[in-house]
Amino acid sequence: MKHSEVLIVLDFGAQYTQLIARRVRELGVYSEIHRFDIPMSQLREKKPVGIILSGGPSSVYDADAPKPSPEVFQMGVPVLGICYGLQLIADQLGGKVDPSARREFGPAEVMIDNRDDLLAGLGTITTVWMSHGDALTQMPLEFESIAHSANAPICAIRNVRKKIFGVQFHPEVVHTPEGKKILGNFVFGVCRASGGWSAQSFVEEVTRDIRASVKSSHVLCALSGGVDSSVLAVLLHHAIGGQLHCIHINNGLMRKHESESVVRTFREQFHIKLSSVDASTLFLSKLAGVTDPEQKRKIIGKTFIEVFEKESQKLLGEVEFLAQGTLYPDVIESASFNGPSVTIKTHHNVGGLPKDMKFKLIEPFRELFKDEVRAIGAKLDVPRELIGRHPFPGPGLAVRVLGEITEAKLNLLREADDIFIQELKHANLYDEIWQAFAVLLPVQSVGVMGDGRTYDFTLALRAVTSVDGMTADWARVPHEILARISNRITNELRGINRVVYDVSSKPPATIEWE
């Protein structure tokens, strides 16, 4: 999709890069993330209103330090360097970066020396978030310092004539309270962006694009019932009505009553053409005896494709397009923005569709973050209970039953998970939590119930707070609520005699256990 104005974020490997793009979008300006070494021809084609250089873990004086083309600074487009980005500006334009400067990690007070542009509207002192081991000791020619701290005489710089700015701190994180104001000053005051990008404008644009692409043909969509596929189905139905065909596959790994609810909602409430396939016996037979989580994911992905392809064959000739709910973070990660990286686990969403599938691909959300998809769902009147649902992994409960999967274990986990979610909703905590779920551990321990001895499973409860799932902290659920949840699970369910609560953050842990 083409956008009337775009701000480009060049990624140098920072953990906050996606957050920069999100903050700019929150201001109403469409932003895209690209590798630091994007060819200049492609960068010029995009005609950006501004460019932001992200932070990164490297030092500019390292032999293999990632650096953009020097032409970035000669385009006549405003540039803002953040942390490592600031140091790149100094390195490439004649300044000096000191590797032996005092390292700073955490909150710091910065004194503002100039409020003409980038730091307009700030007081004399502002709190910022620092995360750097190097620092500027000499500014490039034609630059001036516009902020300093007790530890660093140069915390922000500018070149008014060339509209190049840099800050040593991170304005994109919530720990910099006036960070959004600083980014707004750059986007609107320096770049002169007009704004106006929103979920509503996206719906109007993408609806036109889908209609123009599909014309009189038909579209196939895999509908799991999660946020992404649900909003995608409603958007497509909004755009092309009866030309949409959805397929829901019950893999036997869904939450309690989930498949029935999905089918009922989309048939009765949205009147969408929906085929429902119960393949639970097939999936469970293929997973029998498998304990390795990566193997589980591969089996589930392969089986899903086989079932989906078989079902889609019935529509060949009528359907020309396949729609997927791919999100922007998936695109960013698959593009290997930060170079070679270790695979922590296969992506939650089922992927790897066969190359010989007879469909053209439609991915309306490939430019969006999860919260933006939720905003679009709200604009399309998707029920709040659907768009507000916690993320659910593609392999479903298969990666929440640790070890071997059996139907009995799945049923036990479904009931425990349902109690957990019920109680969070009853306590009005569900919407405050990014993701909550139960995990059935392959651990049995001694317990006592009445006068009898038990030797039953241990259940782990997991609840985290997060913005986008890239990082997360464990949710501080009140003890009395955890006690009620534990009491209900151990009393109502036969087979669990011990409940534990996971207090690990991401990193070092992941949100899911497998």
Side-chain angles (χ1 to χ4, degrees):
M1 183 188 299
K2 289 188 176 179
H3 299 273
S4 57
E5 63 179 11
V6 58
L7 187 141
I8 299 294
V9 180
L10 294 186
D11 181 18
F12 294 90
Q15 60 177 320
Y16 301 134
T17 299
Q18 290 193 30
L19 199 49
I20 299 170
R22 287 166 56 86
R23 291 288 181 258
V24 173
R25 291 188 185 192
E26 287 169 9
L27 292 166
V29 175
Y30 178 72
S31 61
E32 285 182 359
I33 299 171
H34 290 276
R35 281 181 58 106
F36 66 89
D37 54 0
I38 179 176
M40 286 303 299
S41 57
Q42 289 183 27
L43 191 56
R44 288 195 182 93
E45 272 178 27
K46 293 188 173 292
K47 298 179 180 176
V49 295
I51 296 171
I52 295 179
L53 311 179
S54 83
S58 304
S59 292
V60 292
Y61 46 78
D62 289 345
D64 58 351
K67 295 182 180 181
S69 167
E71 294 177 51
V72 166
F73 304 104
Q74 299 162 12
M75 290 175 63
V77 173
V79 175
L80 171 63
I82 294 175
C83 198
Y84 178 79
L86 163 72
Q87 295 158 20
L88 275 173
I89 292 170
D91 177 72
Q92 297 207 314
L93 299 180
K96 199 171 182 180
V97 177
D98 182 6
S100 61
R102 180 173 174 178
R103 294 156 61 92
E104 282 188 293
F105 297 96
E109 286 194 338
V110 167
M111 278 62 80
I112 310 302
D113 302 316
N114 182 290
R115 299 176 189 77
D116 290 346
D117 34 49
L118 186 68
L119 305 179
L122 273 64
T124 54
I125 299 176
T126 190
T127 300
V128 301
W129 186 260
M130 295 285 193
S131 179
H132 66 97
D134 301 330
L136 259 68
T137 53
Q138 183 180 313
M139 282 181 295
L141 288 173
E142 293 189 61
F143 279 79
E144 62 180 316
S145 173
I146 55 175
H148 70 279
S149 72
N151 291 328
I154 305 172
C155 279
I157 64 173
R158 69 171 183 171
N159 181 321
V160 177
R161 185 176 65 83
K162 292 185 176 179
K163 295 185 178 179
I164 299 175
F165 295 79
V167 292
Q168 185 61 77
F169 51 88
H170 289 273
E172 70 274 24
V173 302
V174 294
H175 307 294
T176 301
E178 295 188 288
K180 200 166 182 180
K181 185 181 290 185
I182 295 169
L183 289 173
N185 286 339
F186 177 70
V187 170
F188 298 114
V190 178
C191 300
R192 301 294 178 189
S194 57
W197 187 85
S198 65
Q200 183 62 51
S201 66
F202 175 87
V203 169
E204 292 166 2
E205 287 178 40
V206 81
T207 298
R208 285 196 298 269
D209 287 353
I210 290 169
R211 287 172 180 164
S213 299
V214 173
K215 298 185 174 69
S216 61
S217 188
H218 290 239
V219 178
L220 185 62
C221 174
L223 178 61
S224 70
V227 175
D228 306 331
S229 68
S230 296
V231 176
L232 175 61
V234 175
L235 173 65
L236 289 165
H237 193 250
H238 168 76
I240 57 173
Q243 293 166 251
L244 171 67
H245 303 261
C246 289
I247 296 176
H248 173 74
I249 298 172
N250 178 3
N251 58 13
L253 305 167
M254 311 285 276
R255 287 168 287 202
K256 188 176 179 181
H257 301 320
E258 191 162 26
S259 276
E260 301 92 327
S261 175
V262 169
V263 172
R264 184 174 60 252
T265 298
F266 283 88
R267 281 181 180 166
E268 296 177 7
Q269 185 168 342
F270 294 106
H271 309 293
I272 289 174
K273 293 178 186 174
L274 174 61
S275 301
S276 177
V277 183
D278 186 353
S280 53
T281 302
L282 175 64
F283 277 85
L284 292 183
S285 67
K286 294 203 173 190
L287 288 166
V290 177
T291 58
D292 178 74
E294 275 301 291
Q295 192 63 21
K296 288 179 186 177
R297 290 172 183 275
K298 287 173 183 174
I299 289 170
I300 293 165
K302 187 172 183 292
T303 307
F304 175 89
I305 290 165
E306 288 170 1
V307 175
F308 186 81
E309 207 169 14
K310 183 179 178 181
E311 195 66 22
S312 67
Q313 291 296 322
K314 301 174 185 176
L315 297 167
L316 272 179
E318 185 179 6
V319 174
E320 186 180 347
F321 295 87
L322 172 67
Q324 288 195 141
T326 308
L327 299 187
Y328 197 35
D330 306 337
V331 177
I332 294 168
E333 288 164 11
S334 65
S336 299
F337 273 57
N338 303 327
S341 60
V342 176
T343 298
I344 297 170
K345 58 189 174 189
T346 306
H347 200 274
H348 289 166
N349 296 324
V350 175
L353 291 168
K355 292 178 181 177
D356 60 350
M357 280 196 80
K358 311 291 191 294
F359 300 113
K360 297 174 186 173
L361 205 56
I362 293 179
E363 296 177 305
F365 300 155
R366 64 180 287 111
E367 297 176 347
L368 302 182
F369 293 102
K370 174 80 80 173
D371 58 329
E372 293 170 332
V373 172
R374 286 193 166 109
I376 286 162
K379 292 290 181 186
L380 292 168
D381 296 322
V382 178
R384 190 167 178 273
E385 59 267 24
L386 269 179
I387 58 174
R389 291 184 72 187
H390 291 177
F392 188 61
L397 299 183
V399 291
R400 293 178 182 175
V401 170
L402 305 198
E404 185 179 0
I405 298 166
T406 66
E407 192 163 3
K409 287 182 181 177
L410 287 167
N411 288 334
L412 186 59
L413 178 59
R414 278 191 192 96
E415 295 297 332
D417 188 77
D418 188 54
I419 290 171
F420 186 24
I421 299 304
Q422 278 180 32
E423 290 297 334
L424 289 179
K425 288 181 176 178
H426 181 72
N428 294 319
L429 290 174
Y430 185 82
D431 292 337
E432 294 178 19
I433 292 170
W434 163 264
Q435 193 171 1
F437 54 92
V439 182
L440 191 65
L441 306 184
V443 175
Q444 288 175 280
S445 63
V446 175
V448 59
M449 288 191 178
D451 295 324
R453 175 185 181 277
T454 62
Y455 192 65
D456 289 333
F457 287 109
T458 299
L459 184 88
L461 302 178
R462 179 75 158 142
V464 298
T465 56
S466 180
V467 175
D468 53 16
M470 301 297 288
T471 60
D473 193 14
W474 60 278
R476 272 60 171 179
V477 177
H479 291 176
E480 62 272 18
I481 295 169
L482 289 174
R484 185 161 63 243
I485 294 165
S486 175
N487 190 52
R488 280 196 61 190
I489 288 170
T490 53
N491 277 286
E492 295 176 26
L493 305 180
R494 189 179 295 276
I496 296 170
N497 66 0
R498 194 176 298 272
V499 176
V500 298
Y501 188 60
D502 184 346
V503 293
S504 312
S505 296
K506 175 187 179 183
T510 53
I511 296 176
E512 295 286 345
W513 277 48
E514 284 192 343

